Amino acid sequence: MLNERTGLIEFLMVGPEHRGRGYGSKLLDFAVRRLGELGREAHIVTFPHLKAYRYYLNRGFTRIMNYGEFVVLKRAQRPPGVEGKGKFIRL
């Protein structure tokens, strides 16, 4: 599952006063796109009790493993040329 092609996105947060403006989506899309440019598969490390966990699932990530108190999510693969919601190295 996790190997040399794994790119991690950890602790991606937007302050409460800036939520709901699309900043988190833009940051996440950038991180996923950059990982792809570097030949990496995007994975997210987060806590399962955070609101962000459900957000990542809604963006096309799936839970692939538990890691202590964290969970690791991986972006579901799509056929080439298919875009839309769920776009997803440590930055």
Side-chain angles (χ1 to χ4, degrees), residues 2-48:
L2 301 178
N3 57 46
E4 65 278 350
R5 287 191 33 108
T6 300
L8 296 178
I9 300 170
E10 300 175 316
F11 304 108
L12 178 67
M13 297 176 222
V14 175
E17 68 277 13
H18 300 291
R19 291 183 188 151
R21 299 180 188 176
Y23 299 137
S25 293
K26 288 179 183 179
L27 287 169
L28 183 59
D29 289 347
F30 170 80
V32 170
R33 186 174 53 253
R34 185 67 182 126
L35 285 168
E37 292 169 359
L38 296 170
R40 306 291 177 140
E41 296 177 344
H43 290 69
I44 294 179
V45 178
T46 191
F47 293 102

Side-chain angles (χ1 to χ4, degrees), residues 58-77:
N58 289 335
R59 293 289 306 227
F61 283 83
T62 56
R63 186 178 187 156
I64 60 166
M65 66 183 284
N66 296 329
Y67 185 73
E69 60 188 303
F70 301 99
V71 293
V72 178
L73 309 174
K74 180 179 178 185
R75 183 176 176 204
Q77 295 295 323

